[in-house]
Amino acid sequence: MPRNILVCVAWPYVNNAPHLGHIAGMNMPADIFARYHRLAGNNVAMVSGSDMHGTPTALKAIDEGVTPEEIATRYHEIWSRCFEQMGFSYDCYTHTHTAHHQEVVHDIWNKLDEHGYLFEASQSMPYSLTENRFLSDRFVEGTCPNCGFDGARGDQCDKCGRTLDPADLINIRSKRDGSTPEFRDTTHVYLKLSAFQEQLSEWVATKDDWRPNVRNNTLNYLREGLHDRAITRDIEWGIPIPRDSYEHKRVYVWFEAVIGYLSATKLLAKERGEPDLWKSFWEDPAAESYYFQGKDNIPFHTIIWPGILMGYRGLNLPTDVVANEYLNLGATGFSKSRGNAVWLPDYLERYDVDPLRYYLTSIMPETSDSEFTWAGYLAANNNELVATFGNFVHRILTITNRNFDGVVPEPGDLDDADRTMLAACDTAITDTAAALEARHFRDGLRAGMSLAQQGNRYVDQKQPWATVKQDKQAAATTLWVGLNIIATLKTVFAPFLPSSCEKIHGMLGLPGTIAEDGWSRVEVKPGTKLGTPEPLFRKLDDSIVDEENARLVRPG
RNA sequence: GGCGAUGUAGCUCAGCGGUUAGAGCGAACGCUUCAUAAGCGUUAGGUCACAGGUUCAAAUCCCGUCAUCGCCA
């Protein structure tokens, strides 16, 4: 019985280009997970989109003299293109500045209102007289009343760590232009998050398979008691509010961005011409949903979004919130303040996709922050992908091609070594599946590489290149087993290295597509004509490490 | 300031109460030559962040300290 698996990927905030840190922790694991489940025969909807709204984009637009929509659209297109090139298999990748999304947000808003979870309250906020806008905490600074530091922000002083309110600042001024704001009252709509305290606590208590940081962070929030949160902002860029006298305010980005998971699923249903499709992911109690994102937005997915869903009623809560730590840019010359990073569009211009997918997965920050280094990338490509995996495939195919006219040979009787090897193939299929089901992506990848190593050992021991001269049948058996190892590798690596595995599929002369084979060990049939063997991965020169590091040191 | 996660071989990590602490990569040495000078084997390398404690027994549990990252205030 196929399962319904909703794969939700955090919505990137599009006011800059994507870099490797963005995709390592969420897009990669989500895509591997989605691809695995599709192969396993489950119904998958992998959804996300660009988060278009919010203050940073609005301000950047003012500074560049264009509309916020232009900025957001420009970056949305860049992100979309990169995701496509990376092979991220979204069923729907949309953005938040659409009539459809707005409709879904308003539906949620109205239901929450009906159910009594919204209320109004007013607060006093700094208002810029030069820009005619309210300034959020982060956009005012002044002298800290506690330590006298002059660069204290509206929410806290970086010098002494004291928490502040904008009203506490001495000589408060706009961070934008230095002008002095005045305090004005402003009314906002709040979400009564505190109402869900008990319900959320009970729900989280059942989630004993969540990663420790996700679970503990969430429990900590609940222990401290939930606060009601303002879900509107004084800003013109965003989703309009379905309420009178809120013409100059918009829905708070975080409130509406998480709703994107639902609106994107509904959009997918619409696009596929199956209007009720979304229900099988959101209303079927047996459906599962997995949310992939970085550690910084755990509470939005374990508290706020579930709270919204509880208030709306009738929609599934997250099965798991898979939060990864951060991927940092390693040692050589990295300077965060100068904005140096490995930008995805740059990478894609110069190198292949699968080696990056491989390396990022192998260092995925599952339990702690990890570091991307070009030396590590080079080593992973040359020593693991090329030498162990790619070369195994190539050597078997080449020997077969040369001695058996590129046709899968007929095996003779299998001996213990042959049977052990085939059993190892079955184990690799189940091990990888178990790792991915448990959302242990590095483990899953290792299971695949371990099979390639076993294959190399097996072939070394059997020496088909020698036996073919005296005992052609023995060589035939070995190569048949070898080709079956390749067929298995093609499956277990498919979620990680989709385009390489598609190539292998062709080189093995297998019918149909990888998708049709599913998550099972496909046996190669004697007599099948093989495709032309070609190297799967290209070896990179050591010099790229210095070249790339030099790029990082250069500012901008 | 509070909370959480992380700290184990040169690197990336596994182990999370019980024999001499493991894997992959890297290194050294040897074997091999079908293959993208690829493969295989052997060896070296660790006071398990630091300091206490509980236990017959701790990398593993408890307490404290330090470091890194994140969140909250």
Side-chain angles (χ1 to χ4, degrees):
Chain A
M1 174 96 175
R3 295 191 270 156
N4 295 332
I5 311 273
L6 179 65
V7 179
C8 299
V9 194
W11 291 52
Y13 194 71
V14 288
N15 68 345
N16 218 332
H19 60 69
L20 300 188
H22 288 125
I23 61 169
M26 35 189 159
N27 300 276
M28 268 317 301
D31 187 58
I32 294 164
F33 194 70
R35 284 175 181 273
Y36 159 72
H37 276 293
R38 288 192 197 100
L39 284 174
N42 297 318
N43 302 319
V44 173
M46 175 171 162
V47 299
S48 185
S50 302
D51 182 0
M52 307 279 275
H53 300 134
T55 310
T57 299
L59 295 178
K60 189 167 183 160
I62 293 170
D63 295 343
E64 290 189 20
V66 296
T67 65
E69 186 168 2
E70 273 182 75
I71 301 251
T73 305
R74 185 201 307 161
Y75 287 114
H76 167 67
E77 279 164 10
I78 294 173
W79 283 74
S80 304
R81 204 175 318 124
C82 284
F83 283 178
E84 213 179 306
Q85 287 180 63
M86 283 300 295
F88 295 148
S89 55
Y90 286 102
D91 293 290
C92 179
Y93 187 83
T94 175
H95 64 77
T96 57
H97 197 63
T98 67
H100 169 80
H101 179 65
Q102 177 170 321
E103 195 181 305
V104 177
V105 170
H106 282 181
D107 173 46
I108 297 233
W109 177 289
N110 290 330
K111 276 277 171 34
L112 290 173
D113 207 2
E114 263 174 49
H115 296 165
Y117 294 118
L118 303 185
F119 67 94
E120 279 187 345
S122 87
Q123 57 183 137
S124 180
M125 289 276 287
Y127 184 89
S128 165
L129 298 168
T130 51
E131 291 195 287
N132 293 318
R133 69 174 64 250
F134 282 98
L135 295 166
S136 66
D137 297 351
R138 303 189 329 192
F139 288 100
V140 291
E141 62 182 359
T143 306
C144 173
N146 187 46
C147 71
F149 175 61
D150 191 39
R153 288 178 295 145
D155 51 355
Q156 94 169 99
C157 172
D158 283 334
K159 187 86 172 280
C160 67
R162 165 72 77 91
T163 304
L164 302 171
D165 196 75
D168 297 333
L169 292 174
I170 301 162
N171 290 327
I172 187 170
R173 58 189 180 269
S174 166
K175 241 180 159 170
R176 305 262 306 150
D177 56 15
S179 64
T180 304
E182 70 174 31
F183 281 85
R184 288 190 185 176
D185 280 346
T186 177
T187 302
H188 285 289
V189 175
Y190 285 70
L191 171 67
K192 208 184 279 177
L193 200 59
S194 56
F196 305 105
Q197 174 83 35
E198 201 175 318
Q199 209 180 338
L200 282 167
S201 300
E202 283 169 14
W203 173 66
V204 172
T206 66
K207 298 295 186 181
D208 49 17
D209 65 330
W210 284 9
R211 290 182 181 176
N213 62 337
V214 175
R215 190 177 153 81
N216 290 332
N217 258 307
T218 305
L219 289 172
N220 185 38
Y221 257 86
L222 291 165
R223 211 176 300 123
E224 286 178 2
L226 298 179
H227 304 282
D228 299 332
R229 296 178 66 109
I231 55 169
T232 56
R233 288 290 186 273
D234 286 292
I235 183 179
E236 304 271 337
W237 172 237
I239 304 265
I241 294 160
R243 201 179 256 235
D244 290 343
S245 76
Y246 276 79
E247 295 78 20
H248 298 295
K249 299 175 198 282
R250 293 293 179 269
V251 178
Y252 175 42
V253 268
W254 256 111
F255 179 81
E256 52 110 341
V258 288
I259 295 173
Y261 298 120
L262 177 62
S263 77
T265 318
K266 287 187 167 180
L267 182 63
L268 171 68
K270 224 187 244 183
E271 286 172 350
R272 294 228 178 125
E274 304 172 53
D276 285 341
L277 178 70
W278 68 274
K279 291 183 181 170
S280 60
F281 295 101
W282 288 92
E283 292 187 346
D284 174 1
E288 301 161 50
S289 54
Y290 298 87
Y291 291 72
F292 292 85
Q293 80 272 313
K295 60 178 163 182
D296 53 332
N297 41 90
I298 290 171
F300 290 100
H301 294 84
T302 61
I303 301 279
I304 296 177
W305 178 229
I308 294 171
L309 289 168
M310 285 171 176
Y312 184 86
R313 294 171 196 165
L315 298 178
N316 289 339
L317 301 176
T319 305
D320 190 12
V321 175
V322 188
N324 277 308
E325 306 292 306
Y326 282 176
L327 176 77
N328 298 310
L329 192 49
T332 355
F334 177 57
S335 159
K336 215 173 189 174
S337 58
R338 277 186 290 177
N340 288 339
V342 178
W343 300 102
L344 202 44
D346 287 348
Y347 174 92
L348 291 166
E349 260 176 39
R350 296 195 285 277
Y351 303 101
D352 296 330
V353 166
D354 278 358
L356 181 61
R357 291 180 60 111
Y358 179 82
Y359 181 52
L360 289 183
T361 306
S362 76
I363 59 167
M364 189 175 286
E366 286 176 343
T367 49
S368 60
D369 288 1
S370 65
E371 287 196 348
F372 176 97
T373 63
W374 281 103
Y377 169 81
L378 180 89
N381 182 74
N382 288 358
N383 305 327
E384 297 177 41
L385 279 183
V386 173
T388 304
F389 176 29
N391 187 243
F392 174 75
V393 173
H394 198 239
R395 71 198 293 209
I396 295 287
L397 288 173
T398 307
I399 306 172
T400 309
N401 209 38
R402 193 165 299 155
N403 297 289
F404 293 90
D405 301 322
V407 168
V408 178
E410 185 77 48
D413 292 337
L414 301 183
D415 66 13
D416 281 351
D418 302 325
R419 277 190 292 268
T420 303
M421 195 59 238
L422 292 174
C425 289
D426 291 326
T427 305
I429 296 269
T430 52
D431 282 358
T432 307
L436 295 183
E437 286 282 357
R439 291 134 255 158
H440 294 162
F441 300 97
R442 289 184 310 221
D443 273 0
L445 188 69
R446 210 170 297 139
M449 201 46 80
S450 157
L451 179 65
Q453 278 167 335
Q454 290 176 73
N456 274 319
R457 270 179 223 131
Y458 166 81
V459 171
D460 258 49
Q461 180 206 329
K462 289 284 185 179
Q463 306 191 14
W465 57 88
T467 56
V468 76
K469 288 165 191 158
Q470 311 102 29
D471 182 355
K472 200 159 182 186
Q473 184 54 66
T477 305
T478 301
L479 292 170
W480 179 81
V481 171
L483 291 166
N484 278 297
I485 300 170
I486 297 175
T488 310
L489 288 169
K490 175 215 70 171
T491 300
V492 297
F493 275 123
F496 304 94
L497 311 170
S499 70
S500 303
C501 290
E502 210 60 67
K503 272 189 211 161
I504 295 177
H505 191 86
M507 286 193 268
L508 285 175
L510 290 168
T513 64
I514 288 187
E516 290 164 40
D517 290 346
W519 192 261
S520 62
R521 189 162 78 72
V522 177
E523 208 160 84
V524 293
K525 289 205 172 50
T528 306
K529 178 79 186 145
L530 297 169
T532 316
E534 56 174 284
L536 285 174
F537 308 101
R538 63 195 172 103
K539 193 164 168 143
L540 293 168
D541 195 86
D542 290 358
S543 62
I544 68 143
V545 175
D546 287 342
E547 281 168 29
E548 293 297 340
N549 284 338
R551 279 180 218 270
L552 292 178
V553 174
R554 205 172 50 215

